[in-house]
Amino acid sequence: AQSVTQLDSHVSVSEGTPVLLRCNYSSSYSPSLFWYVQHPNKGLQLLLKYTSAATLVKGINGFEAEFKKSETSFHLTKPSAHMSDAAEYFCVVSDQGGGGNKLTFGTGTQLKVEL
Amino acid sequence: GAVVSQHPSRVICKSGTSVKIECRSLDFQATTMFWYRQFPKKSLMLMATSNEGSKATYEQGVEKDKFLINHASLTLSTLTVTSAHPEDSSFYICSAGGGEWTNEQFFGPGTRLTVL
């Protein structure tokens, strides 16, 4: 079984300050983990993915995430927030690869970026 | 990455009518497609998994006779909401994966359904 918990439903940061969105997962296998972003009334865009290669994963738009098996975490970070980063972020887990297999979504974290 | 399209992007219909939503993988052959539903300010809820040429697998609590899914080819899956009611109003998103993409699914832009 697989599950994912996003610890914060809302995060608010000032422009130019670091972003941390937290995610913990549970998986019976070696999981694949993803972060997606969704802007209002839009589809999902993949930010980054972990699929058992390097534990520090770099994604688009300056985001990165570190897979920590001992902590069952996959937190998303960015050194400096930009106004355009304001959106909903989903942490997603798949037990087996993710391509043709079921994804389980977290409940989402709404990121607000203030001037 | 690969591209997945959905059509229509937005549809408004009367209560009791049926609505068909198409999901196409434009540049790869998707052995598996997924249909999600998203309520306002909520996460995505998986409705069903569709494998080409076979019957869809529905998640618990999803009415298969109400949400008809067809995956007739490796590039097309359709979701038909039958006898739609206002409570079916939602944002429906499909994704496609499998084939050459074993580690990733690609999401369509979504379809906003409003039932009056």
Side-chain angles (χ1 to χ4, degrees), chain B residues 11-19 37 39 63 65-67 80-92 112-116:
Chain B
V11 58
I12 301 173
C13 69
K14 293 182 179 180
S15 186
T17 61
S18 294
V19 174
R37 181 174 181 177
F39 291 100
E63 298 176 61
D65 294 331
K66 178 159 189 69
F67 299 100
T80 302
V81 183
T82 62
S83 186
H85 290 281
E87 57 266 29
D88 298 324
S89 298
S90 195
F91 195 50
Y92 292 89
R112 173 74 59 193
L113 170 64
T114 303
V115 184
L116 302 176

Side-chain angles (χ1 to χ4, degrees), chain A residues 32 34 36 38 41-44 46 49 51 90 96-103 105-108, chain B residues 32 34 36 38 42-44 46 59 91 93 96-98 101-105 107-110 112:
Chain A
S32 293
F34 310 80
Y36 286 89
Q38 185 180 35
N41 296 311
K42 299 290 186 183
L44 295 166
L46 179 67
K49 61 181 177 182
T51 54
F90 293 101
Q96 298 178 40
N101 298 291
K102 182 177 171 179
L103 301 180
F105 280 74
T107 49
Chain B
T32 308
F34 303 84
Y36 297 84
Q38 186 178 32
K42 297 290 185 183
S43 187
L44 276 73
L46 179 65
E59 295 298 302
F91 195 50
I93 302 175
W101 294 100
T102 57
N103 291 324
E104 188 172 344
Q105 293 175 24
F107 286 82
R112 173 74 59 193

Side-chain angles (χ1 to χ4, degrees), chain A residues 70-91:
Chain A
S70 61
E71 299 177 10
T72 61
S73 69
F74 190 59
H75 301 332
L76 180 71
T77 60
K78 182 173 180 177
S80 177
H82 190 273
M83 294 296 289
S84 61
D85 294 328
E88 187 84 19
Y89 291 79
F90 293 101
C91 182

